[in-house]
Amino acid sequence: MDVPDGRGRTGLDRTGLDLTGNPRVRVRKVELLSSSWYVLRRTTYDYRRRDGGWSTEQRETYDRGNGATVLLYDTERETVLLIRQFRYPIYANGHPDGMLIETAAGLLDDDDPETAIRREAQEETGYEIGEVEHVFDVYMSPGSVTERIHFFAAPYRADRKVSDGGGLADDGEDIELLELPFRKALDMIASGEIADAKAIMLLQWAALSGPFSGRDR
């Protein structure tokens, strides 16, 4: 178990054994199922139900680290910057072509959330962003995935474009940049053209309480 994984981490079979925040949960055993790059564990724990009885449960958890995402917007021109890229998992689960329209995003790796999203925004869109606003932090799939995503929003300007973007070719990224009218992006949620949870949440936040709130359609 002390053989490093693809990221050089060790001790991956001990994660969770020291949890003490919930007295109704007693972690008994952690089994490492996969650790090539992301980590799949099977954890056995005792759980005290509301009626006072105890039950033994098993859960598999997928640990890919935490991430950050950002909505880039221009209030003067009423536009947003989104990206489109191929996602095999959704292609295998019924998406017509696997090309998903999203907000720029990426894993934190060893950075804090704001540093990470500045890096990812520039790599994927080519824009260097200035002041960012923290919107909220969300567990996207709490039944099986440990990931917490930090959501941000930031304005963008044409004179802050420093590269073509498109992601890192060495990481297999092939990202298309989409500049859309904000109202069209909202309509694309209703039509199903935008089906990425990150993008939907940030676009709706922008309409309800963010930079485009209070504007008539």
Side-chain angles (χ1 to χ4, degrees):
M1 295 302 178
D2 287 329
V3 176
D5 72 341
R7 300 185 187 185
R9 299 171 297 184
T10 58
L12 299 174
D13 61 315
R14 295 190 289 275
T15 298
L17 290 174
D18 59 349
L19 292 174
T20 59
N22 188 340
R24 296 171 60 184
V25 178
R26 299 171 180 169
V27 178
R28 296 173 55 185
K29 182 170 65 173
V30 179
E31 301 168 83
L32 197 62
L33 305 181
S34 175
S35 62
S36 176
W37 189 254
Y38 304 139
V39 181
L40 181 64
R41 300 180 178 90
R42 179 168 56 225
T43 299
T44 304
Y45 61 91
D46 295 330
Y47 178 74
R48 190 177 68 204
R49 302 186 305 271
R50 288 179 297 164
D51 63 7
W54 287 86
S55 62
T56 299
E57 310 286 347
Q58 265 193 350
R59 294 291 185 273
E60 290 185 4
T61 57
Y62 188 58
D63 180 0
R64 62 190 303 271
N66 295 322
T69 187
V70 64
L71 176 68
L72 301 182
Y73 62 87
D74 184 332
T75 52
E76 291 186 5
R77 296 189 300 126
E78 296 195 356
T79 57
V80 291
L81 276 182
L82 302 176
I83 62 170
R84 179 162 50 202
Q85 60 183 319
F86 178 70
R87 296 292 201 181
Y88 178 77
I90 70 165
Y91 186 45
N93 193 31
H95 192 282
D97 58 10
M99 303 300 295
L100 191 66
I101 298 175
E102 310 176 43
T103 46
L107 295 178
L108 303 185
D109 294 326
D110 295 324
D111 290 327
D112 63 88
E114 184 174 327
T115 299
I117 201 53
R118 291 181 184 279
R119 178 193 71 231
E120 293 296 331
Q122 184 169 328
E123 290 176 359
E124 296 186 358
T125 71
Y127 282 83
E128 184 180 68
I129 57 177
E131 183 177 357
V132 299
E133 176 183 359
H134 176 254
V135 180
F136 38 61
D137 299 331
V138 176
Y139 293 96
M140 299 293 287
S141 186
S144 58
V145 181
T146 62
E147 182 181 34
R148 179 176 61 197
I149 297 183
H150 304 270
F151 284 68
F152 294 92
Y156 74 95
R157 300 197 314 265
D159 62 357
R160 299 296 294 272
K161 189 169 175 60
V162 296
S163 72
D164 292 333
L168 300 179
D170 290 345
D171 289 345
E173 295 179 328
D174 180 28
I175 296 171
E176 176 187 359
L177 183 63
L178 299 177
E179 184 176 55
L180 298 172
F182 176 68
R183 297 302 171 185
K184 179 179 179 180
L186 287 181
D187 290 339
M188 292 170 70
I189 297 174
S191 68
E193 295 170 89
I194 293 180
D196 170 58
K198 304 184 306 298
I200 292 172
M201 294 166 70
L202 280 172
L203 288 169
Q204 291 183 340
W205 163 82
L208 293 172
S209 59
F212 298 101
S213 62
R215 301 194 182 197
D216 295 333
R217 287 184 64 95

